[in-house]
Amino acid sequence: QVQLVESGGGLVQPGGSLRLSCAGSGRIFSYYDMGWYRQAPGKQRELVAVMTRGGSSNYADSVKGRFTISRDNAKNTVHLQMNSLKAEDTAVYYCNAARISYGETYWGQGTQVTVSS
Protein backbone atom coordinates (compact mmCIF):
# COMPACT_ATOMS: atom_id res chain seq x y z
CA GLN A 1 0.00 0.00 0.00
CA VAL A 2 0.95 3.64 -0.49
CA GLN A 3 0.14 6.37 2.00
CA LEU A 4 0.09 9.96 0.75
CA VAL A 5 -0.09 13.13 2.81
CA GLU A 6 -0.43 16.58 1.27
CA SER A 7 0.62 19.83 2.86
CA GLY A 8 1.22 23.45 1.93
CA GLY A 9 -2.28 24.62 1.17
CA GLY A 10 -3.68 27.85 2.46
CA LEU A 11 -5.02 31.27 1.59
CA VAL A 12 -3.19 33.35 -0.98
CA GLN A 13 -3.99 36.51 -2.93
CA PRO A 14 -4.46 36.46 -6.70
CA GLY A 15 -1.09 36.61 -8.41
CA GLY A 16 0.61 34.97 -5.48
CA SER A 17 2.43 31.67 -5.20
CA LEU A 18 2.05 28.52 -3.19
CA ARG A 19 4.02 25.29 -3.02
CA LEU A 20 2.24 22.04 -2.27
CA SER A 21 4.04 18.97 -1.02
CA CYS A 22 3.11 15.32 -0.99
CA ALA A 23 4.92 12.82 1.18
CA GLY A 24 4.60 9.14 0.41
CA SER A 25 5.37 6.00 2.32
CA GLY A 26 4.59 2.29 2.41
CA ARG A 27 5.76 1.13 -1.03
CA ILE A 28 8.59 1.83 -3.41
CA PHE A 29 7.76 5.35 -4.49
CA SER A 30 9.62 5.30 -7.77
CA TYR A 31 7.31 2.63 -9.21
CA TYR A 32 4.39 5.04 -9.47
CA ASP A 33 3.25 7.79 -11.77
CA MET A 34 2.53 10.80 -9.57
CA GLY A 35 -0.10 13.43 -10.15
CA TRP A 36 -1.85 16.39 -8.67
CA TYR A 37 -5.61 16.70 -9.04
CA ARG A 38 -8.03 19.29 -7.78
CA GLN A 39 -11.72 19.46 -7.07
CA ALA A 40 -13.75 22.61 -6.67
CA PRO A 41 -17.21 22.56 -5.08
CA GLY A 42 -19.80 21.20 -7.49
CA LYS A 43 -17.20 20.09 -10.02
CA GLN A 44 -15.54 16.81 -10.85
CA ARG A 45 -12.00 16.11 -9.84
CA GLU A 46 -9.63 17.12 -12.62
CA LEU A 47 -6.03 16.43 -13.44
CA VAL A 48 -3.74 19.39 -12.84
CA ALA A 49 -0.31 17.93 -13.47
CA VAL A 50 1.31 14.54 -13.74
CA MET A 51 4.84 13.24 -13.72
CA THR A 52 5.36 9.66 -14.78
CA ARG A 53 7.79 7.29 -13.17
CA GLY A 54 10.00 7.94 -16.19
CA GLY A 55 10.14 11.66 -15.42
CA SER A 56 7.95 13.07 -18.17
CA SER A 57 5.37 15.67 -17.18
CA ASN A 58 2.12 17.01 -18.51
CA TYR A 59 -0.22 19.80 -17.43
CA ALA A 60 -3.78 20.87 -17.83
CA ASP A 61 -4.07 23.75 -20.28
CA SER A 62 -5.48 25.95 -17.55
CA VAL A 63 -2.29 25.77 -15.48
CA LYS A 64 0.35 25.38 -18.17
CA GLY A 65 3.10 27.92 -17.74
CA ARG A 66 2.06 28.69 -14.16
CA PHE A 67 2.40 25.39 -12.31
CA THR A 68 5.38 23.05 -12.12
CA ILE A 69 5.37 19.49 -10.85
CA SER A 70 8.52 17.89 -9.50
CA ARG A 71 9.42 14.72 -7.65
CA ASP A 72 12.27 13.42 -5.58
CA ASN A 73 12.07 9.65 -5.33
CA ALA A 74 14.93 9.50 -2.85
CA LYS A 75 12.89 11.63 -0.45
CA ASN A 76 9.52 10.09 -1.37
CA THR A 77 8.13 13.53 -2.12
CA VAL A 78 6.24 15.25 -4.92
CA HIS A 79 5.73 18.99 -5.16
CA LEU A 80 3.52 21.37 -7.06
CA GLN A 81 4.83 24.90 -7.42
CA MET A 82 1.92 27.19 -8.20
CA ASN A 83 2.63 30.69 -9.47
CA SER A 84 0.40 33.49 -10.74
CA LEU A 85 -2.53 32.02 -8.88
CA LYS A 86 -6.05 32.91 -9.92
CA ALA A 87 -9.35 32.72 -8.08
CA GLU A 88 -10.28 29.88 -10.44
CA ASP A 89 -7.48 27.79 -8.91
CA THR A 90 -9.40 27.58 -5.64
CA ALA A 91 -10.00 23.91 -4.88
CA VAL A 92 -8.97 21.00 -2.74
CA TYR A 93 -5.77 19.63 -4.20
CA TYR A 94 -5.07 15.91 -4.04
CA CYS A 95 -1.90 13.95 -4.52
CA ASN A 96 -2.25 10.75 -6.53
CA ALA A 97 -0.04 7.73 -7.08
CA ALA A 98 -0.89 5.33 -9.87
CA ARG A 99 0.54 2.13 -11.24
CA ILE A 100 -1.64 1.69 -14.28
CA SER A 101 -0.44 -1.73 -15.39
CA TYR A 102 -1.31 -3.14 -11.96
CA GLY A 103 -4.56 -1.25 -11.55
CA GLU A 104 -3.30 0.51 -8.43
CA THR A 105 -4.19 4.04 -7.49
CA TYR A 106 -3.91 5.90 -4.20
CA TRP A 107 -5.07 9.28 -2.98
CA GLY A 108 -4.03 11.66 -0.28
CA GLN A 109 -6.54 13.38 1.97
CA GLY A 110 -6.31 16.68 0.13
CA THR A 111 -5.20 20.18 1.04
CA GLN A 112 -7.30 23.30 0.59
CA VAL A 113 -6.04 26.08 -1.66
CA THR A 114 -8.00 29.32 -1.58
CA VAL A 115 -7.11 32.21 -3.87
CA SER A 116 -8.92 35.34 -2.80
CA SER A 117 -8.44 39.01 -2.07
Side-chain angles (χ1 to χ4, degrees), residues 44-65:
Q44 289 189 278
R45 192 171 298 184
E46 64 174 346
L47 177 67
V48 176
V50 62
M51 179 169 284
T52 69
R53 57 179 173 169
S56 62
S57 60
N58 200 11
Y59 300 88
D61 288 341
S62 59
V63 307
K64 195 171 298 182

Side-chain angles (χ1 to χ4, degrees), residues 27-88:
R27 300 290 291 272
I28 300 175
F29 202 69
S30 62
Y31 285 1
Y32 296 86
D33 300 331
M34 303 300 301
W36 286 96
Y37 291 71
R38 67 186 181 188
Q39 187 167 23
K43 299 195 68 178
Q44 289 189 278
R45 192 171 298 184
E46 64 174 346
L47 177 67
V48 176
V50 62
M51 179 169 284
T52 69
R53 57 179 173 169
S56 62
S57 60
N58 200 11
Y59 300 88
D61 288 341
S62 59
V63 307
K64 195 171 298 182
R66 300 189 296 121
F67 291 9
T68 303
I69 187 172
S70 61
R71 66 189 293 174
D72 187 338
N73 292 333
K75 296 181 179 180
N76 278 0
T77 56
V78 181
H79 304 281
L80 185 68
Q81 179 66 45
M82 305 185 294
N83 298 327
S84 302
L85 283 161
K86 307 174 180 179
E88 300 80 61

